[in-house]
Amino acid sequence: MHDNSHLVTMRVDRFVRERLLPHTHRRRHPLEVRQWVVPGEPVPFAEAVSEHFEPVSPGTAWGRPWGTTWFRATGTVPQGWGGDGTRLEVVADIGYSEAHPGFQAEATAYRPDGTVVKGLHPRNRYLAVPDVSEDGAVDVLLEASSNPDVAGGGSFTFEPTPFGDLRTAGDAPLYRLGRVDVVELDIAVWELLQDVVALRGLVDELPREGSRRAAVLRALEDAVDAVDPDDVSGTAADGRAALAPALGAPADASAHRVLAVGHAHIDSAWLWPTRETARKCARTFANVLALMDEDDDLVFACSSAQQYAWVRDAQPELFERIRERVREGRFVPVGGMWVESDTNMPGGEALARQLVAGKRFFLEELGVEPEDVWLPDSFGYTAAMPQIALAAGSRWFLTQKPSWNETNRMPHHTFWWEGIDGSRVFTHFPPADTYNSDVSATDLARAERNFAEKGRASLSLLPFGYGDGGGGPTREMLAAAHRTADLEGSPRVELGDPHDFFRRAEEEYPGAPVWTGEMYLEFHRGTYTSQARTKRGNRRSEHLLREAELWATTAAVHTGAAYPYDELEGAWHTVLLQQFHDILPGSSIAWVHREAEANYARVAETLEGLIAASLGDLAGPGEATVAFNAAPHRHGEVPALGATVRPEGGSPTVPVRVEDASDSATGGWVLDNGLVRVVVDRDGLLASVLDLRAGGREVLAPGARGALLQLHRDTPTQWDAWDVDEHYRRHTTDLTDADSVELLEKGPHRAALRAIRRFGSSRVEQVIALEADSAVVGVELDVDWRERQKLLKLAFPLDVHADRAASEIQFGHVVRPTHANTSWDAARFETCAHRWVHVGEAGYGAAVVNDSTYGHDVGRSARSDGRAAPGTTTTVRLSLLRAPLYPDPEADQGGHRLRAGLVVGAQVPEAVVEGYRANLPVREVRGGSAPAPVLTVEGDDGIVVEAVKLAEDRSGDVVVRLYEAHGGRAAGRVVPGFACSGIEETDLLERPLEEAGALTGADGDLVLRPFQIVTLRLRRA
């Protein structure tokens, strides 16, 4: 029998296009539209409504890039409209483009009294008109945002664009106003359209030769025959009757089950600034609330306390409505974090504070505590996350991004994720491979097809709704969910609560498999490096916050100084916001990063002021030099977390000596401090680094030079700012030539040499320094970066045979192979590390530390003669700067200051110490005394103090967060430096633990497992 199914589907598609879509509205009546153009940044409703609005007609150009135009639509509903079978609505076309919702014009609709009705976007253009006045008057105000389409129609061609910067975006209007009408929605035609769409989509997913597909096709053909083209409205019910048997056929008993939850992934900044995100949130949340009034089954999951806070502050009436739906359990806060942050680069304490700040907001403002961590779109997931989540009281983890992997497929969708300390969280990522589903047959079939746990489990989660730029669920998506609740050939769809999903999934599959370690994303590897100023701002802010809290706590305890709770909270909220997964990774438009840099500068000014005030209180009057050390380890004579009065004119035990080596084969100079002997050649590069403590062992690989800058071509295949592709390695230029090399400093405490290099349009001042009593060879770089589509790396080829490298992450480190034996190893060619990377062989190693760099690659290479042993080289390289063209064509251009250091003869404990020192230099102030540390830790030096602060409840108690840093067991004791009435162990939110943890006694004795995080409350007497 001839298969003519393609003719049937063509006929059905034309039926939808020419009969149903044009007839969903029985009648239309135009409204009069007037406009007021906001001259600058957005203004509140109360200000806008009092302005003079000018008449405007369809076709009028409006909307400069990033501008705001208020439209007011008024008129009267014609007599007799709104009868049976119809629904009165206002439909507004403000001139949308074909781009995806959230990447173009959108609007917030208000009533004349200022209450928000809902948001409008190109696939959600209607407003219900349920309460027309007696005279039929309609009055609607639209706050329209003329956001440019930086995404290029949603196709992401990655072409440089001026629209990402307000200074270059121009003033030319982007949109043309369409019509604003009051309409009669024909309910029967609309419902028939949803029936047809559901079954038509199913046809494409059913087996081609199957009887179910044939039955659905025949039903669709019967429906087309049943609807009279001359009376679509009057015969729509006949069409629905023809489809009823096909829609009523129940799903197979073994069909996959999908719990669908409304969702709107709203990037807190990306191709728009944060100020626009705040309005996106209001629009989307209002959409959801309006949809909940239409459909009692909708449950909406929403993360990010920051986004709720924006709505609370700008739209208090809307926020009260959200509160009510939260109480009902239909508007569900998820994630428990301040924002959906990146998890690779935030420091340990910052990632903890994401959950502390987020959960505090949800508890205090909404009376709920999410038990999950909800991060569908972050670019890979740190192996420290399971423990941090559990320590914050969370049980579950959701992500989607691993489905983007370029090379390897994650083997599970529902599993236990085990972190570096052995903690586990129950984890799911939706097999539909999207967090922006439209509940289409395509998405549902993909979920069933992909689900890796078939035979063991049968339930998956489907977040649905327009996202990234917001928008959320639509009534069409809900219609699809209802039609697939029990439909033959489709998974069963149930609308529900994401937390209920996790409870049911955990109960169904308690013996789920285990994934251990980081969930590395095999994609977007350039995000460890792009927008270096944003990354430096984050790193510096994290350490300034540590210092500010530590010294303010010490001052409060020792001098009674007031603790700056509000200033510290404000600084933390700014830093946490900017750890969002498109800000800190460097993948946003220029506006976002310029704003981030300005915010970091304000944070630094605030925190430096707080630190100065605390140190002044602690040092007291006097003219002595008082040195303060905020690091968790002693620095010379300065105790950890404490201070000392330094004698004037002191000299080191062994001064740094400088020798002229211009007559040698390498030329240059020799620096020697009794621990390390360094040869800097005539090009200003490291020619030799001898470890004098190890009998003069050479650290650099034979024939190699260290502190070598290397320039690579950097032309990603797809996502410019996001990606570093493996082919960059095939295009390398060693920057060995120097304009000049000179002795910069020669003193007992420090010696330094400076080389000036030029390449392309750029210039680098590279300083190599050696300090007394230090085994660190410092490298300081001042770069005037003017390259495009280039990657700058700093290389240290080391003479150690290391088959793995240890890289610092939050509260510990991970070990990664340096080889590419498997496809998983090969795909991990660029990795993230915090303050240090360590490589070693049995009995010997070295580390590279930094003050602001996250991107690294560590690999093994053969000697120049091709032999692999015994001269195998392990090279550690830091990725310093990039120059992508999209979405910010000026990314990283200009000046940069970066610092790194080669730690000679280091094992992991030394790497930990020097990593902190590189980021927490000793401060010196004038005063008369050195206060005792607020606390000390006695015992194993693997116990590291990460934070010291006063308690969140403002009780005055001292809270200390510490962890085991070396990867082994550790025992010790916390000794308060003040009158303490007791010590108790708490979770991250400073609530007492129900079960015994690391604290073994009331006197502060501790026993920690590898990488364990411990939070203690020290009650002040």
Side-chain angles (χ1 to χ4, degrees):
M1 180 176 177
H2 179 63
D3 182 5
N4 68 343
S5 61
H6 69 288
L7 296 176
V8 177
T9 56
M10 289 173 62
R11 186 182 179 208
V12 171
D13 292 344
R14 186 169 183 179
F15 171 70
V16 169
R17 188 169 60 248
E18 296 183 2
R19 295 192 210 172
L20 296 187
L21 287 173
H23 289 88
T24 53
H25 297 141
R26 285 188 189 173
R27 292 179 283 189
R28 307 176 70 99
H29 179 72
L31 298 176
E32 179 186 357
V33 181
R34 291 171 291 158
Q35 73 171 10
W36 173 64
V37 179
V38 181
E41 284 294 282
V43 301
F45 173 89
E47 180 178 340
V49 75
S50 64
E51 295 290 341
H52 177 68
F53 283 62
E54 297 283 348
V56 63
S57 58
T60 301
W62 72 277
R64 70 181 185 279
W66 305 113
T68 301
T69 301
W70 284 79
F71 296 106
R72 189 161 197 169
T74 57
T76 304
V77 177
Q79 288 278 347
W81 279 32
D84 290 344
T86 67
R87 169 176 162 168
L88 285 178
E89 296 181 342
V90 171
V91 174
D93 177 6
I94 58 175
Y96 304 112
S97 73
E98 293 301 314
H100 192 279
F103 294 84
Q104 54 162 302
E106 46 192 320
T108 310
Y110 294 82
R111 296 185 181 90
D113 65 0
T115 57
V116 177
V117 182
K118 65 189 289 283
L120 300 177
H121 61 68
R123 298 178 193 171
N124 193 340
R125 306 183 182 194
Y126 72 95
L127 302 168
V129 188
D131 51 356
V132 178
S133 61
E134 290 185 5
D135 59 0
V138 176
D139 190 354
V140 175
L141 290 99
L142 305 178
E143 181 190 16
S145 302
S146 48
N147 299 333
D149 176 17
V150 182
S155 60
F156 286 98
T157 57
F158 310 108
E159 296 176 2
T161 171
F163 287 129
D165 191 330
L166 195 60
R167 298 173 300 185
T168 59
D171 294 318
L174 297 175
Y175 301 100
R176 289 190 178 275
L177 181 66
R179 295 178 54 175
V180 182
D181 298 332
V182 61
V183 306
E184 283 183 308
L185 177 73
D186 191 312
I187 295 173
V189 175
W190 186 88
E191 294 286 357
L192 173 59
L193 174 62
Q194 309 316 309
D195 293 346
V196 172
V197 168
L199 290 174
R200 172 65 184 86
L202 184 63
V203 165
D204 288 343
E205 303 303 328
L206 291 170
R208 189 169 185 82
E209 305 301 326
S211 59
R212 172 60 170 163
R213 184 172 186 269
V216 173
L217 282 168
R218 298 292 82 78
L220 286 167
E221 193 168 33
D222 291 347
V224 174
D225 289 341
V227 176
D228 184 347
D230 297 323
D231 185 16
V232 173
S233 178
T235 57
D238 297 333
R240 296 202 72 197
L243 295 177
L247 284 168
D252 296 337
S254 60
H256 184 66
R257 294 177 300 142
V258 170
L259 191 146
V261 58
H263 187 234
H265 177 68
I266 305 176
D267 286 313
S268 291
W270 182 25
L271 304 182
W272 46 84
T274 55
R275 67 91 150 141
E276 195 56 32
T277 311
R279 299 202 291 179
K280 287 176 177 287
C281 293
R283 287 189 283 264
T284 300
F285 296 174
N287 261 349
V288 169
L289 295 175
L291 204 53
M292 285 179 175
D293 291 338
E294 299 177 21
D295 193 318
D296 292 338
D297 294 325
L298 173 61
V299 177
F300 181 71
C302 182
S303 71
S304 303
Q306 172 69 85
Q307 297 186 357
Y308 289 81
W310 279 328
V311 174
R312 177 199 62 188
D313 297 342
Q315 302 283 1
E317 183 273 337
L318 179 61
F319 188 70
E320 286 304 316
R321 285 191 273 151
I322 291 172
R323 271 199 176 113
E324 179 59 33
R325 291 299 191 182
V326 170
R327 283 192 288 269
E328 293 177 3
R330 298 186 62 198
F331 200 114
V332 182
V334 293
M337 298 175 74
W338 190 250
V339 295
E340 290 184 15
S341 76
D342 178 73
T343 76
N344 289 309
M345 290 171 285
E349 187 61 20
L351 205 50
R353 296 297 179 93
Q354 285 284 353
L355 285 155
V356 171
K359 288 203 169 193
R360 276 191 60 201
F361 180 93
F362 289 131
L363 284 164
E364 294 171 4
E365 295 287 346
L366 298 171
V368 296
E369 180 181 356
E371 292 186 277
D372 63 291
V373 175
W374 185 279
L375 292 174
D377 193 33
S378 299
F379 308 146
Y381 303 93
T382 173
M385 181 56 80
Q387 181 182 190
I388 295 172
L390 287 176
S394 297
R395 302 166 52 191
W396 308 305
F397 187 87
L398 179 132
T399 176
Q400 179 65 65
K401 210 65 173 184
S403 66
W404 285 45
N405 273 7
E406 287 183 311
T407 305
N408 298 284
R409 186 178 184 87
M410 286 286 289
H412 313 296
H413 286 99
T414 300
F415 55 98
W416 291 97
W417 180 21
E418 181 177 281
I420 54 174
D421 77 316
S423 297
R424 293 180 180 178
V425 289
F426 191 74
T427 299
H428 180 74
F429 63 90
D433 286 355
T434 179
Y435 49 81
N436 294 328
S437 176
D438 57 2
V439 203
S440 63
T442 299
D443 285 354
L444 296 175
R446 188 187 310 112
E448 183 164 32
R449 184 170 60 249
N450 284 352
F451 191 52
E453 275 58 60
K454 292 186 186 78
R456 296 289 184 181
S458 61
L459 182 65
S460 71
L461 189 69
L462 184 76
F464 70 92
Y466 290 114
D468 292 330
T474 65
R475 60 185 176 186
E476 289 79 13
M477 296 175 191
L478 286 170
H482 289 305
R483 283 160 176 78
T484 51
D486 190 11
L487 180 64
E488 184 183 357
S490 169
R492 285 189 174 89
V493 176
E494 174 187 352
L495 294 168
D497 180 328
H499 296 150
D500 182 50
F501 162 79
F502 274 109
R503 283 187 286 267
R504 289 163 57 182
E506 198 170 7
E507 181 180 354
E508 178 187 43
Y509 199 21
V514 177
W515 177 271
T516 299
E518 68 182 332
M519 283 195 277
Y520 176 87
L521 180 64
E522 297 175 355
F523 208 40
H524 293 356
R525 303 168 184 90
T527 58
Y528 314 143
T529 305
S530 296
Q531 297 286 2
R533 292 185 192 87
T534 298
K535 291 172 168 58
R536 284 199 299 279
N538 176 74
R539 179 76 69 85
R540 185 67 183 131
S541 295
E542 289 179 347
H543 289 83
L544 285 173
L545 280 160
R546 173 195 174 98
E547 290 189 86
E549 289 184 334
L550 169 65
W551 301 130
T553 300
T554 307
V557 167
H558 288 328
T559 73
Y563 190 80
Y565 290 100
D566 294 337
E567 295 93 331
L568 289 168
E569 182 175 78
W572 267 116
H573 285 177
T574 298
V575 172
L576 296 178
L577 165 61
Q578 295 184 173
Q579 290 175 341
F580 176 73
H581 67 252
D582 275 307
I583 302 179
L584 182 54
S587 48
S588 290
I589 57 174
W591 186 340
V592 172
H593 291 289
R594 247 194 0 264
E595 185 176 69
E597 291 159 28
N599 287 340
Y600 285 132
R602 283 190 288 271
V603 165
E605 182 179 12
T606 296
L607 297 177
E608 290 285 5
L610 295 178
I611 292 166
S614 295
L615 296 186
D617 289 339
L618 290 167
E623 291 301 317
T625 299
V626 185
F628 287 84
N629 175 27
H633 309 94
R634 174 177 290 275
H635 195 156
E637 77 280 18
V638 192
L641 315 178
T644 192
V645 176
R646 278 183 169 163
E648 299 296 331
S651 60
T653 306
V654 178
V656 181
R657 293 181 289 111
V658 179
E659 302 173 13
D660 186 343
S662 56
D663 293 335
S664 68
T666 62
W669 292 263
V670 176
L671 313 180
D672 190 324
N673 67 359
L675 304 174
V676 179
R677 182 178 174 85
V678 178
V679 177
V680 180
D681 67 17
R682 60 176 58 92
D683 293 323
L685 297 171
L686 295 175
S688 173
V689 177
L690 299 181
D691 185 348
L692 302 180
R693 297 170 301 176
R697 171 172 175 150
E698 178 61 64
V699 178
L700 297 182
R705 294 193 285 181
L708 173 65
L709 290 168
Q710 295 180 305
L711 192 66
H712 297 271
R713 182 193 301 176
D714 185 16
T715 53
T717 304
Q718 297 184 73
W719 297 80
D720 283 27
W722 293 259
D723 289 352
V724 167
D725 289 349
E726 192 273 339
H727 54 71
Y728 85 88
R729 295 176 169 180
R730 300 198 287 269
H731 308 278
T732 306
T733 301
D734 291 347
L735 303 178
T736 57
D737 294 342
D739 291 359
S740 63
V741 182
E742 62 179 342
L743 184 63
L744 186 65
E745 297 180 48
K746 182 180 181 181
H749 293 279
R750 172 181 157 101
L753 294 151
R754 177 174 62 194
I756 296 177
R757 310 184 194 281
R758 299 180 191 274
F759 54 94
S761 301
S762 302
R763 179 180 185 274
V764 177
E765 291 189 14
Q766 182 175 8
V767 173
I768 293 177
L770 187 64
E771 297 182 354
D773 302 322
S774 174
V776 180
V777 181
V779 181
E780 304 165 5
L781 298 166
D782 288 335
V783 187
D784 183 18
W785 180 244
R786 304 292 174 182
E787 305 309 299
R788 306 283 179 173
Q789 294 186 298
K790 296 290 191 292
L791 170 62
L792 183 66
K793 283 183 172 271
L794 178 66
F796 294 92
L798 305 174
D799 190 15
V800 292
H801 183 73
D803 62 356
R804 57 184 189 166
S807 298
E808 188 189 33
I809 63 169
Q810 302 87 350
F811 300 113
H813 61 266
V814 292
V815 175
R816 303 176 176 120
T818 60
H819 53 69
N821 283 359
T822 70
S823 60
W824 295 87
D825 301 332
R828 202 182 292 111
F829 58 81
E830 184 82 2
T831 58
C832 184
H834 286 197
R835 290 167 293 214
W836 57 267
V837 170
H838 175 267
V839 293
E841 58 195 34
Y844 195 81
V848 177
V849 297
N850 72 85
D851 74 345
S852 59
T853 298
Y854 296 94
H856 294 75
D857 72 287
V858 185
R860 293 165 59 187
S861 56
R863 297 183 346 186
S864 58
D865 62 8
R867 290 188 298 153
T872 299
T873 298
T874 303
T875 300
V876 178
R877 298 200 303 168
L878 295 82
S879 299
L880 303 179
L881 296 169
R882 298 188 66 215
L885 300 181
Y886 181 88
D888 175 11
E890 297 297 315
D892 281 335
Q893 298 299 296
H896 300 268
R897 295 174 60 87
L898 308 105
R899 302 292 180 265
L902 174 61
V903 188
V904 176
Q907 298 299 344
V908 165
E910 290 77 26
V912 173
V913 170
E914 296 300 341
Y916 275 102
R917 285 181 180 170
N919 289 270
L920 289 167
V922 169
R923 290 178 180 265
E924 292 185 347
V925 301
R926 290 292 179 181
S929 61
V934 68
L935 61 93
T936 57
V937 178
E938 300 174 349
D940 295 338
D941 61 4
I943 302 176
V944 172
V945 173
E946 181 67 7
V948 178
K949 59 189 284 292
L950 290 193
E952 296 284 324
D953 61 10
R954 305 199 177 195
S955 62
D957 291 342
V958 174
V959 170
V960 56
R961 190 136 38 240
L962 44 82
Y963 69 104
E964 196 290 314
H966 298 166
R969 305 279 172 168
R973 173 182 293 181
V974 173
V975 181
F978 57 92
C980 176
S981 63
I983 302 176
E984 65 178 347
E985 191 171 352
T986 72
D987 67 4
L988 291 183
L989 274 69
E990 300 166 17
R991 302 173 294 200
L993 292 183
E994 295 180 1
E995 299 180 5
L999 198 63
T1000 61
D1003 56 358
D1005 287 338
L1006 297 167
V1007 176
L1008 277 69
R1009 66 178 181 269
F1011 301 128
Q1012 184 178 358
I1013 306 167
V1014 177
T1015 303
L1016 302 176
R1017 179 191 286 264
L1018 284 59
R1019 298 198 177 275
R1020 290 168 66 184

